Amino acid sequence: MTSTPIPATPDTGPDPAELASLAESVAVEAGELALRHRRMGIELAGTKSSRSDVVTAADLAVEQLIRDRIAAARPGDTVLGEEGGSQPGAAGTSGGSPAAAVSWVVDPIDGTVNYVYGIPAWSVSIAVAVGGQVMAGAVVNPMTGEVFTASAGGGASLNGAPLRRGGDVPDLAVALVGTGFGYTAANRAVDGWVVGELLPQVRDIRRIGSASLDLCMVATGQLDAYYERGLNPWDHAAGGLVAAEAGYTVAGLAGAPAGRAFLLAASLGLWEPLHDSLATLFADPRGTRPAA
Ligand code: IPD
Ligand code: CA
């Protein structure tokens, strides 16, 4: 008698939807802690890349809470956080191999300057990558109660309602474009020049102050596009997935993936002209190249 072999179940890794739901619940709880700290008053804990790049006691406490919750739920996973850097899981590499390793990318408070000044545009941002690919993410704005969630291939949602791209913006001249600036003076001088050159080409510019929320605002249609250079992974990992899963193109310059060098999110029709305009401007910072 021959027996039918039982097909091996391929190890597909953790379910992105489950990762998204864990990211969401941790981000919601973390947002509540950040709000409680805000009500008690701001306690500055230090500065980072420049005097304007502040860290509050809340940034540290919120990141610790997120690390504790992730360690309890998934003890093998690595956590990369804005304040504490990369820390491997206590239970060894999750997933068994680097290709399947699960790492969490955490910004405890994205928009810390807004948080300090009481401007209601800051978020808790948590993404989960498997083998380096972002598979799930959540961005929570505790001031507005907005909870953005996305999983790779599973779509994006705002407070449970699916987010889907509306119509394409016909051209640059009617596009509302968000951007942001890192904290170093030299980069800001270039970024400011680029914005000055772009402004006459578009409907208007917004600088919200939280990269993750900028990306979610592209997903909701509150911004037509958003670009920034110099972002760290925790600034854009979760929000980038929300925008991509809502149907927007999120990428870097000249075919590169979105990353520290550059990120542009927009609907496809707008992405190309905006990309070309920005590529030209950043290639000639401050217009120093003599006209041909
Ligand atoms: C910053 C915000 C800001 C962006 C900066 C980020 P932080 O993050 O996202 O909008 O322009 O590049 O560093 O410091 O508030 O977490
Ligand atoms: Ca940030």
Side-chain angles (χ1 to χ4, degrees):
M1 198 178 99
T2 54
S3 60
T4 313
I6 301 167
T9 314
D11 180 11
T12 51
D15 177 10
E18 279 174 27
L19 292 175
S21 130
L22 179 57
E24 180 186 299
S25 64
V26 174
V28 167
E29 185 187 354
E32 286 161 3
L33 178 64
L35 268 183
R36 285 203 297 280
H37 271 266
R38 187 71 189 72
R39 288 191 197 108
M40 289 187 298
I42 296 295
E43 188 191 330
L44 290 179
T47 56
K48 291 184 286 189
S49 55
S50 77
R51 281 177 62 199
S52 36
D53 189 2
V54 290
V55 185
T56 69
D59 287 280
L60 303 176
V62 172
E63 183 164 319
Q64 190 55 54
L65 176 131
I66 296 169
R67 286 182 185 275
D68 291 347
R69 294 297 179 266
I70 294 168
R74 296 188 51 90
D77 296 358
T78 296
V79 179
L80 169 67
E82 174 162 16
E83 313 305 340
S86 180
Q87 294 174 17
T93 307
S94 66
S97 71
V102 179
S103 45
W104 295 69
V105 186
V106 172
D107 197 337
I109 299 179
D110 181 38
T112 301
V113 174
N114 285 346
Y115 181 82
V116 169
Y117 279 76
I119 297 170
W122 50 271
S123 81
V124 177
S125 172
I126 302 180
V128 201
V130 181
Q133 193 73 28
V134 180
M135 298 304 284
V139 177
V140 171
N141 180 343
M143 299 298 293
T144 60
E146 288 168 309
V147 178
F148 298 90
T149 311
S151 61
S157 62
L158 166 57
N159 295 342
L163 286 171
R164 280 193 206 93
R165 183 168 64 80
D168 224 337
V169 177
D171 61 65
L172 218 48
V174 291
L176 184 61
V177 180
T179 189
F181 315 109
Y183 292 103
T184 57
N187 285 348
R188 285 180 164 200
V190 171
D191 293 344
W193 178 83
V194 168
V195 166
E197 295 294 306
L198 185 67
L199 184 53
Q201 302 177 35
V202 298
R203 186 192 294 276
D204 212 339
I205 295 283
R206 294 289 181 269
R207 197 287 194 245
I208 309 289
S210 167
S212 57
L213 289 179
D214 287 309
L215 286 157
C216 291
M217 289 174 74
V218 170
T220 59
Q222 291 168 294
L223 288 175
D224 294 315
Y226 161 71
Y227 76 91
E228 185 165 342
R229 62 182 193 132
L231 288 174
N232 287 298
W234 47 80
D235 298 317
H236 67 84
L241 186 65
V242 171
E245 284 293 325
Y248 293 85
T249 303
V250 183
L253 285 178
R260 191 169 179 81
F262 192 77
L263 177 150
L264 170 61
S267 58
L268 192 56
L270 185 61
W271 199 90
E272 275 195 30
L274 193 48
H275 166 275
D276 293 353
S277 196
L278 288 165
T280 306
L281 291 170
F282 277 116
D284 186 14
R286 302 213 230 179
T288 47
R289 208 163 291 161

